[in-house]
Amino acid sequence: MTINEIVLLLKASQATGLTTLQEIILRSSWAGKTYTNIASEAHYDEERVKKIAANLWQLLSAFCKEPINQSNFRQTLENHRLSKAHQQLVKEFNKAATAISLEFLSGAVSLNSRFYIPRPPIEELAYAEMAKPGSLICIKAPKKMGKSSLILRLLTRANNQGFRTVTLNFQQADKAVFASLETFLRWFCTNVSRELQLEPKFNDYWNEDIDSKISFSIYFQEYLLSALESPLVLILDEVDWVFEHQEIVEELLALVRSWYERGKGLEIWQKLRLVLVYSREILVPIKLNQSFLNIGLLIKLPPFTKEQVVDLALRHGLDWTNSKNADNLMAMVGGYPYLVRLALYHLVGKGGLEGDLEQLLQQAPTETGIYHEYLRQYLLALQDEPELGDAFYEVIKATSYIKLEPALAYKLQSIGLINLEGDVYDGLCLRSTPACELYRLYFRQYLKKSESLNNNCIERLF
């Protein structure tokens, strides 16, 4: 058996499935890590890890009809094959999962979906940080990488612990909100107040004779936080939309830092647990940028590994354990969650035959491929911003990495079109490459220099 088969077997056989920590223990033990290592990496007490592990070894011993412990876990189970009964159990599990959860991809992966792939130890690190008084979590990843799914799970964990929760999505704010810092801060306070079912009380706490940032902090401390008996998890989503307004983002990040620092010494500010969610680097004056990025917990969501792609395929009822299918799919789309799931969605609809995957990959970068509608939106966006389109064109036609201006590079990275390695050097970003082969092949056909990127080019796609 492989570790993926073991995890899937336990998920299929347990009414409550597996917790994230249980899966971490299984996968880490398979990799030869000690309980001390596992506890340290997952930020759990070692005794708790040992207790949960002991239960897992009992379950596996019952399945294999021989004693299983951490020391013989991998050696013993690698030589075992799933029995016919267990194969049927996994098959029924996948069949039920497919019947219940196979929906076209849209937004966050639901809490009860069997298609959510944890990325240990990210979830457990986020949960542990959120439980700390006055904590700050920054979640950074390109579009379609799973930020919304992680936020949904953070909110659920917070609600289950009795915390109050508020989510502000800056993308939903009108343009007028960003007209001035004063307008932005009042909008911010109004929306948090209403989410907490409190009446906005600016007359009592907002002094127009003093700096608006001071009024903003007074409003939070003396009104909002004072009214709460339990901690408040405040999620600021789509912070990228604030990045377009230099003055506002500088002041907002300065306020975030000041709140975080106050939380170290003032009990009332320890009620606040901040989560910032964004897709690109924060391009603000370097002194502020550096001081902001070295506080709190920074989480970067990585692409799926091959192991995770095989796991996701199994959850769709496709056994790719001993085939090259996962390698072939990843060679085209990398480990990008949305692109991988969209392929599996279509394959399951066709029965999941290898020939279907070969045909899917051949058509992927064309107008008849399953990604066409998704890629067309990118093309339209690049048409609206010719400078961005020109920069991406340079990346996809290059035979090696190229250097781009930071603002363009980070914007292309934020929408998921390129990968970046290295830091800013002499005003240029290092190692800009296409995020995956699909993008290189597709956009190479349609994307031209801005002088030829016109409506005639776009019309070919309709």
Side-chain angles (χ1 to χ4, degrees), residues 111-164:
L111 293 172
N112 61 355
S113 173
R114 298 190 187 276
F115 296 152
Y116 179 75
I117 301 293
R119 284 179 263 194
I122 285 174
E123 288 86 357
E124 294 298 332
L125 285 173
Y127 297 152
E129 189 70 19
M130 186 176 65
K132 297 177 182 178
S135 60
L136 169 65
I137 301 173
C138 296
I139 302 174
K140 177 181 175 292
K143 303 292 185 183
K144 301 289 188 180
M145 284 293 289
K147 297 191 296 296
S148 297
S149 298
L150 178 58
I151 292 170
L152 178 59
R153 282 151 182 81
L154 281 173
L155 288 170
T156 301
R157 175 63 67 95
N159 289 324
N160 289 341
Q161 292 180 337
F163 294 176
R164 300 295 299 274

Side-chain angles (χ1 to χ4, degrees), residues 92-368:
E92 292 299 322
F93 174 80
N94 281 326
K95 183 178 179 181
T98 300
I100 293 171
S101 305
L102 190 57
E103 302 172 352
F104 195 75
L105 286 69
S106 179
V109 181
S110 64
L111 293 172
N112 61 355
S113 173
R114 298 190 187 276
F115 296 152
Y116 179 75
I117 301 293
R119 284 179 263 194
I122 285 174
E123 288 86 357
E124 294 298 332
L125 285 173
Y127 297 152
E129 189 70 19
M130 186 176 65
K132 297 177 182 178
S135 60
L136 169 65
I137 301 173
C138 296
I139 302 174
K140 177 181 175 292
K143 303 292 185 183
K144 301 289 188 180
M145 284 293 289
K147 297 191 296 296
S148 297
S149 298
L150 178 58
I151 292 170
L152 178 59
R153 282 151 182 81
L154 281 173
L155 288 170
T156 301
R157 175 63 67 95
N159 289 324
N160 289 341
Q161 292 180 337
F163 294 176
R164 300 295 299 274
T165 60
V166 171
T167 300
L168 286 187
N169 188 321
F170 293 121
Q171 186 177 0
Q172 297 174 355
D174 294 335
K175 289 184 179 180
V177 168
F178 302 101
S180 69
L181 179 62
E182 173 89 12
T183 303
F184 174 78
L185 295 179
R186 291 175 76 96
W187 172 87
F188 193 116
C189 288
T190 299
N191 281 275
V192 174
S193 300
R194 288 176 176 169
E195 287 291 319
L196 292 172
Q197 298 181 327
L198 296 171
E199 285 293 325
K201 291 188 176 181
F202 291 107
N203 291 337
D204 296 338
Y205 298 96
W206 202 280
N207 190 336
E208 296 184 357
D209 294 329
I210 61 176
D211 186 271
S212 59
K213 300 192 299 296
I214 297 176
S215 291
F216 183 59
S217 293
I218 290 173
Y219 189 93
F220 253 81
Q221 177 175 326
E222 297 185 8
Y223 181 42
L224 298 181
L225 295 178
S226 295
L228 302 178
E229 296 181 0
S230 56
L232 167 64
V233 175
L234 176 57
I235 295 181
L236 306 183
D237 198 5
E238 298 284 359
V239 179
D240 304 72
W241 286 76
V242 189
F243 295 172
E244 303 298 328
H245 307 275
Q246 189 74 20
E247 177 191 357
I248 293 176
V249 71
E250 288 180 23
E251 299 295 355
L252 176 62
L253 296 184
L255 280 165
V256 166
R257 181 172 183 83
S258 71
W259 289 357
Y260 179 78
E261 294 297 338
R262 291 182 191 184
K264 294 180 179 179
L266 295 177
E267 185 176 350
I268 191 167
W269 282 100
Q270 292 175 2
K271 290 182 182 181
L272 183 62
R273 321 294 165 87
L274 275 169
V275 181
L276 273 64
V277 187
Y278 51 97
S279 299
R280 57 176 141 151
E281 297 295 338
I282 304 171
L283 293 179
V284 297
I286 193 67
K287 185 178 294 185
L288 176 59
N289 195 19
Q290 289 176 340
S291 68
F292 172 70
L293 292 179
N294 63 8
I295 62 175
L297 172 68
L298 174 61
I299 292 177
K300 295 185 178 181
L301 296 180
F304 286 157
T305 62
K306 177 185 175 181
E307 187 177 54
Q308 289 169 325
V309 171
V310 171
D311 185 8
L312 186 57
L314 280 170
R315 298 178 189 215
H316 283 78
L318 306 176
D319 187 359
W320 286 3
T321 306
N322 298 312
S323 75
K324 294 183 178 180
N325 289 338
D327 292 314
N328 293 338
L329 178 59
M330 294 182 74
M332 178 62 72
V333 303
Y336 287 90
Y338 177 81
L339 301 179
V340 171
R341 278 203 64 191
L342 189 60
L344 293 171
Y345 172 87
H346 282 273
L347 288 173
V348 170
K350 291 186 176 182
L353 301 177
E354 286 191 25
D356 294 329
L357 176 61
E358 183 180 357
Q359 183 181 23
L360 183 151
L361 295 177
Q362 287 176 349
Q363 296 177 343
T366 71
E367 296 177 35
T368 59

